[in-house]
Amino acid sequence: MSFLRLNHLTPLTERRIKVFFGNRRAKWSLWVFIGLFIISMLANIIANDKPLIIKYNSDIYFPFIKEYSETTFGGIF
């Protein structure tokens, strides 16, 4: 485990990390946790009240990135 060989890790910590990565269930749990963490970071995009993409008059708009005025979509204001 040379990739975990850092100067500030104690031998006990290195052993704990080695045992952790030696456990198959622990590795799967870590990957599931990382996946759920990434999904939770994207929650503002996934569960948003603005649409992600709009196609209007053969033009494509991205309202979650940029705010468009009402006149862009045929409004009077």
Side-chain angles (χ1 to χ4, degrees):
M1 297 195 79
S2 61
F3 67 93
L4 291 174
R5 193 78 163 145
L6 301 173
N7 292 335
H8 65 278
L9 293 179
T10 64
L12 179 62
T13 304
E14 287 180 5
R15 185 178 185 310
R16 287 177 178 165
I17 291 172
K18 185 177 180 180
V19 168
F20 178 82
F21 282 108
N23 186 348
R24 184 173 171 216
R25 188 183 300 164
K27 283 190 266 188
W28 274 104
S29 298
L30 178 65
W31 281 112
V32 168
F33 176 77
I34 290 171
L36 290 174
F37 181 75
I38 290 170
I39 289 171
S40 73
M41 298 310 265
L42 299 172
N44 286 337
I45 294 174
I46 295 169
N48 196 351
D49 59 344
K50 293 181 181 179
L52 299 178
I53 300 173
I54 296 175
K55 185 174 182 181
Y56 179 76
N57 289 340
S58 70
D59 291 328
I60 296 177
Y61 300 95
F62 298 95
F64 75 98
I65 296 175
K66 181 183 174 190
E67 195 164 324
Y68 299 101
S69 66
E70 186 180 334
T71 58
T72 307
F73 302 109
I76 57 173
F77 292 114

